[in-house]
């Protein structure tokens, strides 16, 4: 009998609708208004790469050991270096990082012995050209510039 | 055909590969007699990337991020299976702390995967509301992942021998908060769906797969348990310390779509239970066993299977003693479960095909690899 009454009065459907309406309350709205409202990014987020420089003297921290390039499964890091004739040390000349092939796995970051290469919280890496996704040393050190949109 | 006495001909219809309810790029060729399905054939491979071949050209560590890209909604489980397989080959075991964190993250992943299944399955059947709610709760899990390892979907959270990242401050608290919140939310989903007459009528008796069928096809996971077989690798061959936790294996008897729905809902509740137990007791200690920077397993082979959200996920790894795998063979649950599609669809209505594909809970990234 109870079952029948439930059926006749559409109790099951009304129960469902009650849940729906309960969620109409403004406090329940969770949608993030993305471009206006910046999302909170986790501290460990693996986003755009950065090549850290020593803040005191502006020199790169990278010791051109090539470990990141070896650790990368996609082989997308190219470290160019040259031996300094006076100090006999390797010095970094160029560094290219192709984010179009990168899967942000973090292996390069883990491999770096001096924490020079770091994946940052920057997640906006769109560009209009394929070449724009290949980052050179300067971009890596200064950080990505915000994309200029062609509206 | 006996029942085609009127002038009707058989019709061959293509469903997919862009059909939204095939959950990716699955093409199903349907042979129809009016509204009845006479037979189906799956065409797969649109997402084939040759993951197993890629493994042969990478070192053991380098391959770990690729397994995340098979079942991308359950990346953590995939990573766990691979890491366990290589650890077995190496003869090491992850430290207790790593094991506990692994259990927490994989169980959260089971919830996230089931949530995505629930949302899309309900959407296919016509209930749009649950999708939004499921996505909202899934977001909590993804946020925990993001804070823990820095990525949301393809996480690469585990490393061979343990973990790379220590838990962040407030990890335990956030997991418990999620558990508290989520238990209420499951009740809410059930309020929306379980008693709903349309939902019941669309699911009951659709796509029946008996226990014998399941065993014949090798179907595992919630589909097998909905048919009444109490088989869960977490209980049968405990890995990563699952024997320490107290949980039940939900089982149902009929093996139809509705039962699979119930089983998965129960599983989410059980996962919450496991997470609670694991969070309450994360042992202190190291998180990475001594495996060295260069991983060179001895010559040999190992097979490890785990209970992924979709079923039994197996990794068969062969080493020739070098830094690169000689062979990695993956047994994906989705691929095997999909084989039973024809069996379930025969005799059903066209509209039920959508429900049946939804209930198999396939991820095409894993079917095609
Ligand atoms: S994040 Fe991974 S894929 Fe990207 S450069 Fe580093 S190692 Fe290579
Ligand atoms: S691993 Fe670090 S120090 Fe070595 S080349 Fe790469 S960025 Fe430079």
């Amino acid at each position: 009998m109870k079952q029948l009454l439930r059926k006749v009065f559409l109790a099951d459907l009304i129960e469902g609708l009650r849940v729906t309406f309960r969620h109409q309350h403004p406090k329940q709205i969770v949608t993030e208004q993305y471009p206006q409202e910046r999302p909170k990014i986790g501290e460990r987020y693996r986003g755009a790469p950065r090549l850290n420089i020593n803040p005191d003297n502006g020199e790169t921290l990278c010791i051109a050991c090539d470990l990141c390039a070896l650790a990368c499964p996609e082989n997308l890091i190219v470290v160019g270096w040259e031996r300094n004739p006076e100090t006999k040390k390797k010095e970094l000349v160029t560094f290219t990082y192709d984010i179009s092939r990168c899967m942000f796995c973090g292996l390069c970051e883990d491999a770096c012995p001096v924490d020079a290469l770091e994946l940052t919280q920057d997640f906006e890496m769109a560009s209009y050209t394929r070449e724009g996704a290949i980052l050179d040393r300067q971009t890596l050190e200064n950080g990505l510039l915000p994309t200029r949109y062609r509206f | 055909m006996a029942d085609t006495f009127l002038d009707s001909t058989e019709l061959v219809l293509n469903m997919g590969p862009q059909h939204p309810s095939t959950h990716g790029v699955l093409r199903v060729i349907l042979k129809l007699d009016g509204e009845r399905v006479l037979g189906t054939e799956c065409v797969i491979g649109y997402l084939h990337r040759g993951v197993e071949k890629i493994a042969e050209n990478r070192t053991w560590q380098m391959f770990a991020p690729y397994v995340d890209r098979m079942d991308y909604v359950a990346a953590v489980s995939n990573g766990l299976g691979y890491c366990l397989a290589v650890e077995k080959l190496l003869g090491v075991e992850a430290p207790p702390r790593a094991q506990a964190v692994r259990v927490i993250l994989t169980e959260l992943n089971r919830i996230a995967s089931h949530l995505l299944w629930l949302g899309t399955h309900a959407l296919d059947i016509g209930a749009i509301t649950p999708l939004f709610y499921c996505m909202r709760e899934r977001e909590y899990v993804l946020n925990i992942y993001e804070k823990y390892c820095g990525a949301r979907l393809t996480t690469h959270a585990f490393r061979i021998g343990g973990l790379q990242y220590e838990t962040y401050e407030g990890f335990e608290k956030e997991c418990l908060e999620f558990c508290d919140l989520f238990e209420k939310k499951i009740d809410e989903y059930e309020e929306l769906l379980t008693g709903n007459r349309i939902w019941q009528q669309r699911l009951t008796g659709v796509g029946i797969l008996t226990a014998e069928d399941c065993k014949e096809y090798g179907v595992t996971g919630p589909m097998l348990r909905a048919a009444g077989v109490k088989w869960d690798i977490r209980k049968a061959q405990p890995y990563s310390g699952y024997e320490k936790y107290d949980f039940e294996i939900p089982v149902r008897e009929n093996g139809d779509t509705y039962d699979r729905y119930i089983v998965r809902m129960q599983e989410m509740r059980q996962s919450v239970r496991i997470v609670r137990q694991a969070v309450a007791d994360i042992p202190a200690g190291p998180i990475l066993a001594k495996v060295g920077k260069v991983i060179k397993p001895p010559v040999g082979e190992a097979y490890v299977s785990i209970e992924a959200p979709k079923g039994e996920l197996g990794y068969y790894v062969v080493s020739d003693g070098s830094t690169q795998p000689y062979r990695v063979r993956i047994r994906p649950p989705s691929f095997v479960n999909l084989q039973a599609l024809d069996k379930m669809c025969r005799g059903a209505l066209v509209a039920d095909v959508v429900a049946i594909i939804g209930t198999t809970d396939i991820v095409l990234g894993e079917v095609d690899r």
Side-chain angles (χ1 to χ4, degrees):
Chain A
M1 188 63 195
K2 199 166 161 236
Q3 281 294 321
L4 184 75
L5 277 178
R6 271 180 69 90
K7 264 219 158 97
V8 173
F9 289 107
L10 301 173
D12 48 342
L13 301 184
I14 290 168
E15 268 168 20
L17 272 180
R18 212 179 52 216
V19 176
T20 314
F21 280 110
R22 214 162 49 221
H23 284 282
Q24 306 283 318
H25 195 276
K27 265 197 203 140
Q28 298 271 356
I29 292 174
V30 289
T31 311
E32 215 165 62
Q33 302 297 332
Y34 160 56
Q36 286 93 15
E37 198 185 302
R38 304 300 299 175
K40 271 207 203 87
I41 303 284
E43 214 172 283
R44 298 176 183 172
Y45 189 77
R46 303 195 298 252
R50 185 178 63 205
L51 203 54
N52 287 333
I53 48 174
N54 188 338
D56 299 333
N57 52 14
E59 273 172 24
T60 180
L61 287 178
C62 176
I63 51 172
C65 63
D66 212 28
L67 282 179
C68 51
L70 288 173
C72 176
E74 289 290 335
N75 266 329
L76 56 86
I77 301 176
V78 181
V79 183
W81 53 271
E82 168 170 281
R83 206 171 279 282
N84 190 326
E86 284 145 38
T87 55
K88 298 271 185 286
K89 266 195 190 153
K90 284 190 198 171
E91 268 180 11
L92 186 71
V93 184
T94 57
F95 196 101
T96 47
Y97 189 111
D98 182 358
I99 50 170
S100 65
R101 268 160 50 213
C102 180
M103 54 181 170
F104 304 101
C105 62
L107 282 173
C108 51
E109 188 186 31
D110 297 347
C112 183
V114 290
D115 288 340
L117 189 62
E118 194 183 327
L119 297 178
T120 62
Q121 283 149 296
D122 190 358
F123 59 93
E124 289 161 320
M125 288 170 273
S127 69
Y128 279 100
T129 55
R130 276 162 201 261
E131 291 73 37
I134 301 174
L135 309 183
D136 55 12
R137 182 177 166 186
Q138 207 186 353
T139 330
L140 284 166
E141 284 178 352
N142 299 340
L144 279 178
L145 293 175
T147 313
R148 298 258 175 125
Y149 295 105
R150 296 186 203 142
F151 286 129
Chain B
M1 293 295 296
D3 51 354
T4 54
F5 65 95
L6 287 175
D7 188 21
S8 70
T9 45
E10 286 169 9
L11 182 73
V12 174
L13 193 73
N14 264 310
M15 185 173 164
Q18 288 100 347
H19 194 286
S21 71
T22 55
H23 296 203
V25 277
L26 169 70
R27 176 172 159 220
V28 186
I29 303 170
L30 298 168
K31 200 164 158 212
L32 302 174
D33 174 24
E35 280 281 303
R36 292 259 159 225
V37 179
L38 297 178
T40 64
E41 196 179 321
C42 290
V43 182
I44 59 171
Y46 291 96
L47 219 56
H48 180 70
R49 290 146 294 171
V51 169
E52 291 176 5
K53 190 70 196 168
I54 289 175
E56 293 165 23
N57 303 316
R58 301 283 186 275
T59 61
W60 291 96
Q61 294 106 315
M62 275 185 192
F63 182 56
Y66 289 91
V67 297
D68 291 354
R69 281 150 181 83
M70 293 189 315
D71 182 357
Y72 38 78
V73 296
V76 175
S77 302
N78 280 272
L80 177 66
Y82 176 68
C83 289
L84 285 175
V86 183
E87 280 162 19
K88 189 171 171 190
L89 207 52
L90 283 166
V92 297
E93 203 177 50
R97 184 175 173 82
Q99 289 193 354
V101 175
R102 279 178 172 188
V103 167
I104 297 170
L105 292 178
T106 31
E107 286 310 312
L108 286 176
N109 202 174
R110 187 180 315 276
I111 294 174
S113 168
H114 281 0
L115 278 177
L116 191 82
W117 155 79
L118 177 65
T120 51
H121 184 40
L123 184 72
D124 288 346
I125 308 256
I128 298 174
T129 321
L131 176 71
F132 304 121
Y133 299 167
C134 291
M135 285 296 178
R136 183 187 58 194
E137 269 75 74
R138 187 165 168 263
E139 191 71 18
Y140 285 95
V141 179
L142 296 189
N143 279 338
I144 291 177
Y145 286 161
E146 183 185 320
K147 284 194 189 157
Y148 172 70
C149 64
R152 295 159 59 82
L153 200 65
T154 46
T155 47
H156 193 207
F158 306 144
R159 301 294 193 271
I160 295 161
L163 309 167
Q164 169 72 23
Y165 308 102
E166 190 46 86
T167 55
Y168 60 91
E169 208 175 306
F171 174 73
E172 291 92 344
K173 197 170 131 265
E174 264 177 39
C175 291
L176 287 180
E177 266 173 18
F178 172 73
C179 290
D180 292 341
L181 171 124
F182 187 62
E183 267 174 348
K184 286 192 217 95
K185 297 293 179 190
I186 306 179
D187 296 338
E188 213 163 66
Y189 306 146
E190 298 229 31
E191 215 173 306
L192 276 170
L193 294 173
T194 311
N196 186 305
R197 72 184 65 174
I198 305 170
W199 183 253
Q200 282 176 347
Q201 280 166 10
R202 280 299 306 275
L203 299 193
T204 328
V206 170
I208 295 177
L209 210 57
T210 61
E212 281 71 48
D213 294 337
C214 286
K215 284 178 193 161
E216 243 166 62
Y217 282 102
V219 168
T220 47
M223 290 177 76
L224 179 66
R225 292 193 280 276
V229 184
K230 208 168 178 163
W231 174 257
D232 189 317
I233 303 194
R234 288 176 290 172
K235 283 268 194 216
Q237 301 157 7
Y239 53 89
S240 196
Y242 266 108
E243 64 278 3
K244 281 186 292 198
Y245 306 110
D246 176 31
F247 63 99
E248 275 147 34
I249 310 171
V251 209
R252 297 274 287 192
E253 311 77 47
N254 302 330
D256 62 357
T257 308
Y258 188 71
D259 276 5
R260 282 175 218 133
Y261 158 75
I262 298 286
V263 164
R264 290 199 175 104
M265 295 306 265
Q266 299 288 347
E267 265 181 23
M268 289 202 266
R269 291 183 196 273
Q270 296 299 329
S271 291
V272 170
R273 230 173 111 186
I274 301 174
V275 173
R276 274 184 202 283
Q277 293 171 34
V279 168
D281 181 29
I282 305 182
I287 50 168
L288 194 63
K290 285 204 170 54
V291 286
K293 279 240 183 253
V294 180
I295 290 181
K296 256 192 180 177
V299 181
E301 51 189 51
Y303 180 78
V304 168
S305 61
I306 65 161
E307 187 70 30
K310 296 174 177 63
E312 178 182 341
L313 170 70
Y315 282 90
Y316 174 61
V317 288
V318 185
S319 163
D320 58 356
S322 70
T323 55
Q324 294 184 344
Y326 179 74
R327 177 87 170 93
V328 176
R329 158 78 192 149
I330 301 150
R331 182 220 187 267
S334 300
F335 177 69
V336 181
N337 291 357
L338 184 64
Q339 310 311 311
L341 183 75
D342 184 55
K343 174 90 190 160
M344 288 190 279
C345 284
R346 259 171 216 251
L349 298 172
V350 184
D352 291 340
V353 174
V354 171
I356 293 170
I357 293 176
T359 190
T360 35
D361 191 14
I362 45 167
V363 160
L364 268 296
E366 192 179 41
V367 173
D368 297 340
R369 279 162 293 148

